[in-house]
Amino acid sequence: KIATPDGPVKEPIWKFIEGQTNWLTSLVYMRGAQRAPGSYFMDCGAWSYKAEAQPRWSPAECLEKYATFALAGDLVAAPDHMVIRGLTAEEEQYRVDLTLENTREFLRLCPPDLRPIAVTHGSTLETRGVMLRELLDQGYQHIAIGSVAIRAGNRKFIRGILDDVTRLRSEQPFYVHVLGVSALSWVAEFRDYGVDSYDGSSMFFTAFTAGEWLWHDGNGRLAEYPVKRSRLEDIPSCNCS
């Protein structure tokens, strides 16, 4: 909020960030949302209904909602269902099969000016690999790796997923996004694996609640500025990308 003579006024965060041109949002945040300059990745908010039996929206309903906000060239995700801990083998397979059914319908209905992206899930590397190959066979050129935020500490598992992605990309190039993992300890590995984009809340929580500003100098170095011990004029202007 910004102080004004008439009281505090909410301002969108992009007014305070220079150079940011790529954004991620979800259907669960769409009420009253403003659009920032640049391109968007829009997902269906699978985290919000992870404990429910079915995704909240059908492929057609997702596209109808995306159409109120998305512009040409935006990434739009097919409705998926997360594979969370505690599922039986049958429940997990049901969610994977349901997601694949949705991706087929979504790709058929998606307008040609939008970029459809499908999300992989699974508690094993074998399940992930089979699902990824099926999505590529369906015709997807943009793939997101899902259900990994809850497994972010299992580096061997995530590396296994990315190793498989790398092998397939050597035969058939495609765009790769990692959902929900953005800890600084992963940044170098994502770069080495050729991950195109990723999202998460780690750095935002650090900046806005833990009291540190993080600044990348463009040469592979990350500087940390503790808010309580740093003067505003000493912190470089943000130029996120």
Side-chain angles (χ1 to χ4, degrees):
K1 292 184 177 180
I2 303 299
T4 72
D6 298 322
V9 175
K10 287 186 177 180
E11 292 283 3
I13 192 172
W14 56 82
K15 288 192 175 182
F16 307 96
I17 301 177
E18 297 179 2
Q20 179 73 22
T21 58
N22 297 290
W23 308 87
L24 183 143
T25 192
S26 169
L27 291 182
V28 298
Y29 305 133
M30 290 307 299
R31 181 177 297 178
Q34 301 179 54
R35 186 178 173 106
S39 60
Y40 271 77
F41 179 155
M42 302 184 66
D43 70 38
C44 60
W47 178 263
S48 67
Y49 57 77
K50 62 184 182 297
E52 299 174 20
Q54 298 275 344
R56 194 164 294 166
W57 299 286
S58 69
E61 289 170 335
C62 278
L63 285 167
E64 183 179 354
K65 293 178 180 296
Y66 289 148
T68 66
F69 192 86
L71 297 179
D74 284 347
L75 287 165
V76 289
D80 58 314
H81 213 357
M82 291 183 64
V83 171
I84 57 177
R85 291 190 176 96
L87 297 178
T88 66
E90 292 75 17
E91 289 171 330
E92 176 175 340
Q93 191 60 51
Y94 171 78
R95 290 187 176 214
V96 169
D97 290 343
L98 181 58
T99 296
L100 289 171
E101 180 182 333
N102 283 340
T103 56
R104 280 189 287 270
E105 180 70 2
F106 188 86
L107 191 61
R108 184 181 71 83
L109 297 174
C110 189
D113 61 332
L114 298 178
R115 295 187 293 163
I117 185 166
V119 186
T120 66
H121 296 283
S123 62
T124 68
L125 295 178
E126 180 182 4
T127 300
R128 297 266 181 172
V130 170
M131 191 175 189
L132 174 57
R133 286 160 177 78
E134 169 65 20
L135 292 171
L136 294 174
D137 287 344
Q138 287 182 15
Y140 278 89
Q141 299 177 18
H142 302 82
I143 300 292
I145 299 171
S147 298
V148 286
I150 57 176
R151 299 176 173 87
N154 189 344
R155 302 184 80 88
K156 181 178 180 181
F157 182 72
I158 296 179
R159 286 168 181 154
I161 297 171
L162 293 173
D163 285 339
D164 194 34
V165 165
T166 299
R167 284 191 291 271
L168 285 174
R169 291 177 96 185
S170 67
E171 305 168 7
Q172 178 181 350
F174 54 91
Y175 184 102
V176 176
H177 179 92
V178 179
L179 285 162
V181 179
S182 66
L184 295 177
S185 59
W186 276 107
V187 172
E189 289 196 63
F190 285 165
R191 180 192 61 222
D192 292 341
Y193 274 110
V195 170
D196 295 290
S197 57
Y198 54 91
D199 72 274
S201 58
S202 299
M203 287 182 277
F204 292 101
F205 279 130
T206 299
F208 293 110
T209 64
E212 284 188 323
W213 288 104
L214 306 173
W215 182 73
H216 188 269
D217 69 357
N219 296 310
R221 293 186 295 271
L222 189 74
E224 301 180 11
Y225 293 87
V227 172
K228 290 184 178 180
R229 300 196 304 273
S230 302
R231 297 181 305 170
L232 184 61
E233 56 266 29
D234 293 334
I235 301 175
S237 297
C238 181
N239 190 23
C240 308
S241 60

